[in-house]
Amino acid sequence: MTEQAFVWKDQKKLRMGYTTGSCAAAAAKAAARMLFLGEEIRQVSLMTPKGIRLYLDVEDILRMKDKVRCAIRKDAGDDPDVTDQILVYAEVSKTEGKQITLDGGVGVGRITRKGLEQDIGDAAINKVPRAMIREAVEKEKERGGYTGGLSVIISIPDGAELAKKTFNPRLGIEGGLSVLGTTGIVEPMSEKALTDTIFLEMKMLRENGNEYCYLVPGNYGSDFLKEALGYDGNLAVKCSNYIGESIDHAVRLGMKGILLIGHVGKLIKVAAGVMNTHSRQADCRMEVFASHAAMAGADPETVKKIMESITTAEMTELLEKEQLLGQVMDSVMKRIAFYLKHRGGESLRVEAIVFSNENGILGETSGAEELLEIIRAESVKEKRTGEKE
């Protein structure tokens, strides 16, 4: 990969990588070429949809008369990807007829729910990688003057174990990893990749008949939902810091309501209209608490102490000591409700519950309890439907 395979992010030069889809296509191309040439090759080139040409080493080659299997090692660049350095295999074999068939083998997941690019039961090989694989094999078939059929099997030996660390089980992909990639190239720490995953997870719920869901920024919200509220987390979508984008996704998908449940350290920012709660985007926690404390009658010294606090635990402890916490959270929740309604518009109902580890529920918007029961009822309905099936 050349100089163009770098990106600048947060004043750092980061190396791009290539996707499992590129690995699968390159492995299939190499296997097909060896099948038709009858000789071993150790490097293969692949033009990605992004326009970057890859030169990849071919590993673990197994050649037989009518079948060749080989692997390409995934390189995620500077992206923190659990699939970095895995081997993606392609086995290409001659078959009767003239068709090229493509399927997943060991370690490639299977689709079990509606809403993904492939049908239920199909291998979790997305549309663009499928096209890349077919195109690569078709060209080698023509180049070799072969007119018969071909079978292409993509496998990832470590896929089943690694899939447990991904969103796949939540998305209805079981037994392994997805073969992914729309550009063929991995861009380090891509926000779009994260928001696309959020959209896909919500889309899965919507296409399986759910019109309401929980929205949780992370494990704190998910754990609180299950442990403190006693509700099933299967209807919870993890939104990370992307609260605004997640609300937009819900509107786009025609959801009727979402209930945002999160730790005060994140959701306090929403009271200032901040919809991306990552600290590099904004950190207005002290300002929000201080302004609402002042409106609640806090003296200048208390306001000063809030502004000097580092954690929300310090702030809430201080407000509790001054007997202002309840009043402050009431006004905070009204502002959160205002901004959530503004982002959700007329078509989507958005409510919120804010908690802390020390105090439990600190505040909730006026319709949160009612929406909580609606989603709980939908969860029970989904569970009964699943049991009948």
Side-chain angles (χ1 to χ4, degrees):
M1 296 173 72
T2 62
E3 186 69 19
Q4 65 179 321
F6 290 86
V7 293
W8 286 89
K9 193 171 184 68
D10 297 331
Q11 290 77 53
K12 293 180 182 178
K13 186 179 181 181
L14 301 175
R15 187 171 61 88
M16 293 184 185
Y18 42 88
T19 63
T20 49
S22 289
C23 292
K29 179 178 180 178
R33 181 170 296 182
M34 286 186 277
L35 181 64
F36 301 134
L37 289 180
E39 60 186 53
E40 190 170 288
I41 64 169
R42 285 289 176 179
Q43 191 179 72
V44 65
S45 69
L46 181 77
M47 177 59 75
T48 62
K50 193 174 179 67
I52 296 176
R53 183 172 291 278
L54 304 174
Y55 296 92
L56 305 173
D57 293 333
V58 183
E59 300 187 32
D60 200 12
I61 298 167
L62 176 64
R63 293 168 54 214
M64 291 170 275
K65 181 182 177 182
D66 293 323
K67 181 187 300 184
V68 175
R69 189 185 77 163
C70 64
I72 300 292
R73 191 174 296 277
K74 167 80 178 283
D75 182 351
D78 287 328
D79 192 62
D81 189 333
V82 298
T83 65
D84 187 40
Q85 298 303 307
I86 63 169
L87 287 173
V88 179
Y89 285 81
E91 180 180 281
V92 179
S93 55
K94 294 179 179 179
T95 61
E96 295 181 359
K98 296 184 178 181
Q99 298 299 314
I100 296 174
T101 62
L102 173 61
D103 203 356
V106 173
V108 173
R110 291 275 162 185
I111 307 298
T112 64
R113 300 178 68 185
K114 293 186 294 183
L116 296 172
E117 288 185 352
Q118 308 306 320
D119 294 331
I120 292 174
D122 284 352
I125 303 173
N126 278 14
K127 182 170 61 176
V128 172
R130 281 179 181 269
M132 290 171 68
I133 293 165
R134 286 185 177 278
E135 182 183 359
V137 172
E138 190 70 58
K139 285 183 178 179
E140 293 303 319
K141 180 180 174 180
E142 292 175 6
R143 180 178 176 177
Y146 176 70
T147 58
L150 289 174
S151 166
V152 182
I153 305 293
I154 306 300
S155 59
I156 307 172
D158 297 327
E161 192 61 31
L162 287 173
K164 298 174 184 176
K165 301 177 182 179
T166 72
F167 280 102
N168 279 13
R170 291 180 61 83
L171 296 176
I173 301 169
E174 296 183 0
L177 292 168
S178 305
V179 179
L180 300 170
T182 54
T183 66
I185 297 297
V186 174
E187 295 191 26
M189 295 175 284
S190 167
E191 290 187 0
K192 186 177 185 304
L194 285 170
T195 56
D196 283 352
T197 299
I198 296 165
F199 175 78
L200 184 58
E201 192 169 350
M202 195 176 291
K203 180 172 178 277
M204 292 283 296
L205 291 178
R206 187 68 187 91
E207 293 199 2
N208 281 276
N210 298 296
E211 297 177 316
Y212 299 86
C213 71
Y214 306 109
L215 196 63
V216 293
N219 290 331
Y220 281 155
S222 184
D223 292 344
F224 188 80
L225 176 66
K226 295 174 186 175
E227 295 168 13
L229 300 179
Y231 290 151
D232 184 2
N234 287 332
L235 292 182
V237 173
K238 286 187 179 180
C239 65
S240 185
N241 296 296
Y242 305 102
I243 293 169
E245 286 90 342
S246 299
I247 293 171
D248 295 345
H249 291 335
V251 172
R252 176 182 169 190
L253 290 167
M255 300 290 280
K256 288 186 176 179
I258 56 176
L259 177 60
L260 176 63
I261 301 174
H263 190 272
V264 63
K266 261 192 197 306
L267 297 198
I268 191 67
K269 299 178 185 182
V270 179
V274 175
M275 292 290 171
N276 183 330
T277 56
H278 196 289
S279 57
R280 71 168 176 265
Q281 298 290 333
D283 186 6
C284 54
R285 296 169 301 161
M286 296 81 73
E287 290 82 357
V288 171
F289 268 121
S291 59
H292 284 267
M295 288 191 295
D299 58 57
E301 184 62 27
T302 300
V303 173
K304 183 173 182 292
K305 286 180 181 178
I306 291 172
M307 288 300 298
E308 291 171 349
S309 298
I310 297 173
T311 67
T312 50
E314 290 179 69
M315 300 177 216
T316 54
E317 183 180 352
L318 180 60
L319 289 169
E320 195 169 29
K321 182 180 177 182
E322 296 295 323
Q323 298 183 335
L324 292 171
L325 183 58
Q327 193 174 343
V328 165
M329 287 308 303
D330 282 346
S331 63
V332 162
M333 295 311 299
K334 287 176 183 176
R335 294 308 292 170
I336 289 176
F338 171 80
Y339 285 112
L340 291 179
K341 181 175 176 54
H342 178 74
R343 189 68 177 244
E346 295 298 321
S347 64
L348 181 70
R349 180 178 181 183
V350 191
E351 304 288 349
I353 294 176
V354 175
F355 68 89
S356 73
N357 297 334
E358 298 78 18
N359 300 86
I361 293 178
L362 285 169
E364 47 187 72
T365 55
S366 60
E369 285 289 339
E370 182 184 357
L371 189 54
L372 193 64
E373 290 305 315
I374 291 172
I375 303 174
R376 180 177 178 273
E378 189 154 297
S379 177
V380 171
K381 179 182 174 183
E382 183 185 60
K383 190 175 290 185
R384 285 174 181 167
T385 302
E387 287 172 355
K388 287 179 182 179
E389 291 175 352

